[in-house]
């Protein structure tokens, strides 16, 4: 039985296909008693709309229940650093909190974003890995410093639903402007997902915003194994030629990660906002994807977001079906 889901790579190809198939069945038939009597503990160190609501709703639809802990907002603020001298805000350490919560639940699912100070540290994803090690029960990553695997799983299903070709499908992950430098969890998981799906993946980004080399190296290795390809460019016209999907996301400049100078690098890049004109060289009916939340008319125009290309609401819906299928894989014999 799968005990940890920290990254999409934790699902073998066979298991991934089985989870996607189960997600499709659960979309057609939403309720079941499969998790009756089971409790899933949700720990949200950071805000959420979709992940929180879809986990709570999904477990309830499967006959189980959840409790939700928001450290620092109604429960003790949690320290995550090993060896910390805890004379600051945090009254409790994950070393106690996770094993304690694990006694009350059949699975734990945790959101814990990047600290945004040290790129190498965040890409190593040590905090979520430490929590998974501490958990006595199956453990799900609901977005960590370096990965958002539930998003990637839901997005894979969305691409399948839309019949975007796996082999030969052209997927563009485009950097877009945002008021601050964001971490790499979503872009890293997205580029890996599309590469593993066998697609031709283009990372479109301005100079200075290449994804960190470990993220690209991994994506290229996944593409090599699946028959896909991963390239990067700052040339929008070339990137969008024949594209089936444009997936918008913002991320920090790796060379300025955690530094105040990062905002200066971004200052002249506000025109990196998805507009309808971007799609002129794309394939007919090309889709627009975003994990949400999205800043309207900053990252993408109303015209695109409200138009027929946008599948962002469908993506969010697939979070529910995909996570339910994942939980059955992790918590039931049928799923094993
Ligand atoms: N996409 C996503 O994870 O949304 P939330 O941050 O609202 O959970």
């Amino acid at each position: 039985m799968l005990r940890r889901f920290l990254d999409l790579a934790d699902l073998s190809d066979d298991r991934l296909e089985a989870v996607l198939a189960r997600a499709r069945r659960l979309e057609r038939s939403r309720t079941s008693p499969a998790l009756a009597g089971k409790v899933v503990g949700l720990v949200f160190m950071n805000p959420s709309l979709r992940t929180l609501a879809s986990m709570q709703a999904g477990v309830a639809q499967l006959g189980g229940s959840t409790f939700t802990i928001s450290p620092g907002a109604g429960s003790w603020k949690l320290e995550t650093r090993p060896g910390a001298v805890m004379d600051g805000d945090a009254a409790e350490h994950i070393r106690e909190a996770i094993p304690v919560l694990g006694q009350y639940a059949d699975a734990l699912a945790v959101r814990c974003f990047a600290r945004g100070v040290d790129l190498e540290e965040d890409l190593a994803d040590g905090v979520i890995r430490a929590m998974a090690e501490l958990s006595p029960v199956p453990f799900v990553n609901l977005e960590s410093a370096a990965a958002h695997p539930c998003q990637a799983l839901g997005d894979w299903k969305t691409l399948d639903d839309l019949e975007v070709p796996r082999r030969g499908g052209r997927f563009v992950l485009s950097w877009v402007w945002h008021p601050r430098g964001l971490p790499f969890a979503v872009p890293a998981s997205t580029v890996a997902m599309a590469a593993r799906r066998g697609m031709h993946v283009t990372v479109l980004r301005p100079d200075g915003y290449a994804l960190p080399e470990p993220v690209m190296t991994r994506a290229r290795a996944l593409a090599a194994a699946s028959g896909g390809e991963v390239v990067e460019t700052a040339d929008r016209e070339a990137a969008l030629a024949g594209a089936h999907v444009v997936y918008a996301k913002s991320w920090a400049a790796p060379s300025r990660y955690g530094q105040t100078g990062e905002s200066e690098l971004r200052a002249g890049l506000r025109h990196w906002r998805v507009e309808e004109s971007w799609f002129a060289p794309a394939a007919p009916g090309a889709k627009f994807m975003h994990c949400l939340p999205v800043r309207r008319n900053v990252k993408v125009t109303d015209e695109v977001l409200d138009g027929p290309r946008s599948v962002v609401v469908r993506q969010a819906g697939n979070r529910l079906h995909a996570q339910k299928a994942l939980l059955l894989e992790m918590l039931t014999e049928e799923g094993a």
Side-chain angles (χ1 to χ4, degrees):
M1 207 176 277
L2 182 69
R3 282 195 53 87
R4 284 184 198 166
F5 184 64
L6 300 182
D7 189 280
L8 199 60
D10 290 329
L11 289 174
S12 65
D13 288 347
D14 286 350
R15 271 194 159 154
L16 175 58
E17 295 298 346
V19 168
L20 290 166
R22 190 174 298 117
R24 287 192 290 275
R25 289 198 294 278
L26 288 164
E27 184 174 11
R28 292 191 295 272
S29 179
R30 291 165 76 89
T31 58
S32 115
L35 294 187
K38 297 212 187 291
V39 175
V40 178
L42 305 174
V43 180
F44 278 84
M45 316 269 276
N46 310 96
S48 167
L49 185 147
R50 280 144 290 275
T51 308
L52 174 59
S54 59
M55 287 297 289
Q56 291 181 337
V59 174
Q61 289 169 6
L62 294 172
S65 59
T66 55
F67 62 78
T68 302
I69 301 288
S70 304
S75 81
W76 307 115
K77 195 164 181 188
L78 292 182
E79 178 59 76
T80 59
R81 294 169 301 160
V85 177
M86 292 174 52
D87 55 2
D89 286 353
E92 181 146 27
H93 201 284
I94 57 169
R95 289 189 66 81
E96 288 77 47
I98 294 296
V100 165
L101 294 175
Q103 295 179 96
Y104 309 149
D106 298 280
L108 292 178
V110 177
R111 165 165 285 193
C112 183
F113 287 173
R115 275 202 322 132
V117 176
D118 182 307
L119 179 59
E120 205 174 327
E121 175 191 305
D122 283 343
L123 291 180
D125 231 1
V127 176
I128 202 83
R129 291 184 183 282
M131 286 198 262
E133 284 290 330
L134 290 164
S135 176
V137 291
F139 186 95
V140 177
N141 177 0
L142 297 179
E143 189 174 345
S144 61
H148 196 352
C150 291
Q151 184 70 50
L153 190 58
D155 288 345
W156 188 307
K157 180 177 179 303
T158 301
L159 291 167
D160 283 354
D161 292 350
L162 297 168
E163 299 181 351
V164 176
R166 293 191 178 189
R167 289 280 181 93
R170 296 184 82 86
F171 186 96
V172 177
L173 172 64
S174 179
W175 186 90
V176 285
W177 189 86
H178 186 277
R180 62 187 178 86
L182 297 179
F184 293 99
V186 171
S189 287
T190 302
V191 74
M193 176 277 296
R196 182 171 169 187
R197 203 170 173 271
M199 302 179 81
H200 181 284
V201 183
T202 301
V203 180
L204 170 64
R205 81 294 178 280
D207 292 340
Y209 283 86
L211 285 171
E213 197 44 46
V215 172
M216 290 300 286
T217 299
R218 181 163 177 249
R220 286 193 197 100
L222 287 164
S226 67
E229 191 179 7
V230 178
V231 298
E232 59 183 326
T233 181
D235 182 341
R236 184 183 307 148
E237 191 81 9
L240 271 287
H244 295 98
V245 174
V246 177
Y247 195 118
K249 192 70 190 86
S250 192
W251 58 84
S255 65
R256 309 270 183 98
Y257 195 75
Q259 300 170 20
T260 47
E262 209 273 341
S263 57
E264 288 155 25
L265 196 62
R266 246 177 310 113
L269 298 172
R270 280 194 79 132
H271 60 288
W272 279 75
R273 175 183 76 160
V274 178
E275 300 180 358
E276 186 55 33
S277 60
W278 282 34
F279 290 88
K287 300 300 182 196
F288 172 78
M289 296 179 75
H290 190 284
C291 62
L292 302 181
V294 69
R295 289 174 183 251
R296 280 177 172 260
N297 301 311
V298 171
K299 289 176 159 184
V300 54
T301 59
D302 284 343
E303 184 185 13
V304 173
L305 206 47
D306 296 332
R309 298 188 186 287
S310 176
V311 295
V312 298
V313 173
R314 182 174 200 145
Q315 282 177 263
N318 274 326
R319 295 288 306 279
L320 174 73
H321 315 311
Q323 288 157 195
K324 285 166 71 178
L326 178 74
L327 288 171
L328 293 181
E329 182 74 21
M330 297 180 79
L331 291 175
T332 67
E333 290 300 324
E334 178 208 355

